[in-house]
Amino acid sequence: MKEKIFQMKTISDTLPPHLDLHFHMCGTTYPHRNYFINRPASGICCIEYIVSGRGHVQIGEQRFSPCAGDTYFLLQGLDQFYSSDKKSPWEKIWINLSGSFVTRLAEAYGVQNIFHFPKLDVSDLLQKFQYYATHPETPNAAEKCTALVHDVFFRMSQSLCSEAEAEKTPVQAMLDYIDRHETDVIRLEQLAQVCHKSPSQAERLFRAELGMPPYRYVLKRKIELACQLLIETGMSVRDVASYLGFEDEFYFSGLLRRKIGLSPSQYRAQHTTGGDGIKESPSI
């Protein structure tokens, strides 16, 4: 047996017509060295996960050879050709679907031009499609299958974020962490963990690229944010200090005075009364 196929027309028939989503079939392809599919200008979208072996895929002008543990996605409207590897034929689980809903989802999740997702496991989701295909009487089966499509595209999008994270330099990883946690108390040990370095290595790399140690950069960011909050909000000085992770309002006020030459109240007054004071957040 080359394939086990489950029809999904019963589920598709219960979907609202305006959704323009059609489930055709899902199933499992077993290892077979002569297996191939050729769909010129295909009207079908495919989502497939390779359980074992490998294969070769061409969609439009893109070619790749996914292997065990990979997921690939084939968008409708493009030429699709894929085949099992002769030496190590694949086993894969898959679903075929179509409609503008799928295209819109691919665009919304940013994967409309990305078709190969190495080391992305969506097998649990594809197996659920097979369950609903064989149990279409399950309450809300069509709704659950529609939600599964979202889940698949969400994982694809997340895998791209993971790849981007992996490609970051240690300093980029630290800077991104600081940007996301600028209101927290940030310690060198945390930054070192983010970039997978020792604290001393992390500090040396940061200083070499930014010209200052991490603690000074963090402080600079906090002062810039403090100035912004004093200008743009009605938060009290105490609330600004607390929001930025300073336990002592008076320490915060003294720090601001040392860094920009003005107390928080003076900075706010000069900015909100039309005087000749500072008009932009200062360079620290």
Side-chain angles (χ1 to χ4, degrees), residues 1-264:
M1 181 172 60
K2 188 167 64 173
E3 288 190 291
K4 185 195 300 181
I5 297 174
F6 306 99
Q7 299 294 330
M8 300 186 73
K9 185 177 185 302
T10 302
I11 292 176
S12 284
D13 288 345
T14 63
L15 288 168
H18 66 268
L19 195 61
D20 194 20
L21 171 63
H22 310 280
F23 296 108
H24 298 286
M25 60 184 70
C26 59
T28 301
T29 298
Y30 296 101
H32 192 291
R33 63 191 306 271
N34 295 321
Y35 173 93
F36 76 93
I37 298 290
N38 185 24
R39 298 192 191 99
S42 177
I44 298 293
C45 289
C46 305
I47 301 169
E48 312 206 343
Y49 172 76
I50 302 177
V51 178
S52 62
R54 62 186 295 121
H56 309 285
V57 179
Q58 178 172 349
I59 174 166
E61 299 300 318
Q62 293 191 35
R63 291 184 176 87
F64 50 91
S65 296
C67 59
D70 292 0
T71 292
Y72 66 88
F73 162 60
L74 304 181
L75 188 62
Q76 61 198 8
L78 298 173
D79 295 342
Q80 300 173 3
F81 178 85
Y82 49 105
S83 62
S84 189
D85 186 79
K86 298 290 187 183
K87 294 182 179 178
S88 181
W90 56 18
E91 176 181 340
K92 58 190 178 73
I93 52 180
W94 48 269
I95 182 170
N96 290 353
L97 59 167
S98 66
S100 62
F101 180 85
V102 186
T103 303
R104 294 196 304 271
L105 269 190
E107 292 172 352
Y109 282 104
V111 298
Q112 69 272 27
N113 297 312
I114 301 170
F115 306 121
H116 184 201
F117 301 87
K119 299 180 181 179
L120 174 62
D121 188 349
V122 298
S123 59
D124 57 322
L125 303 179
L126 296 179
Q127 286 167 351
K128 288 179 181 178
F129 282 116
Q130 293 190 11
Y131 174 83
Y132 292 122
T134 55
H135 299 81
E137 73 285 355
T138 303
N140 303 315
E143 178 183 345
K144 291 173 181 176
C145 285
T146 303
L148 284 172
V149 179
H150 273 276
D151 291 343
V152 171
F153 279 104
F154 179 81
R155 288 195 193 175
M156 289 178 181
S157 183
Q158 283 291 96
S159 74
L160 299 182
C161 294
S162 299
E163 290 176 14
E165 285 287 328
E167 293 174 359
K168 288 179 181 175
T169 67
V171 174
Q172 286 174 329
M174 287 187 278
L175 289 173
D176 285 350
Y177 182 87
I178 293 169
D179 286 342
R180 294 194 302 268
H181 299 84
E182 58 186 3
T183 62
D184 300 338
V185 176
I186 300 175
R187 305 189 186 283
L188 178 60
E189 290 76 15
Q190 293 169 301
L191 296 178
Q193 187 173 11
V194 165
C195 67
H196 308 292
K197 302 290 182 182
S198 70
S200 60
Q201 287 176 318
E203 181 170 10
R204 184 169 63 252
L205 291 169
F206 196 99
R207 188 189 293 267
E209 190 162 327
L210 275 294
M212 65 180 76
Y215 80 88
R216 186 176 297 171
Y217 179 85
V218 170
L219 192 59
K220 176 178 180 291
R221 293 282 292 148
K222 286 183 180 291
I223 295 297
E224 290 171 348
L225 182 55
C227 291
Q228 182 180 347
L229 293 172
L230 290 169
I231 295 167
E232 299 178 0
T233 76
M235 294 172 67
S236 68
V237 174
R238 175 180 295 180
D239 287 344
V240 172
S242 176
Y243 180 72
L244 294 174
F246 295 100
E247 295 181 1
D248 190 327
E249 169 191 354
F250 300 103
Y251 171 79
F252 166 69
S253 297
L255 176 65
L256 201 69
R257 184 185 293 274
R258 290 196 302 274
K259 293 297 183 181
I260 68 172
L262 296 169
S263 71

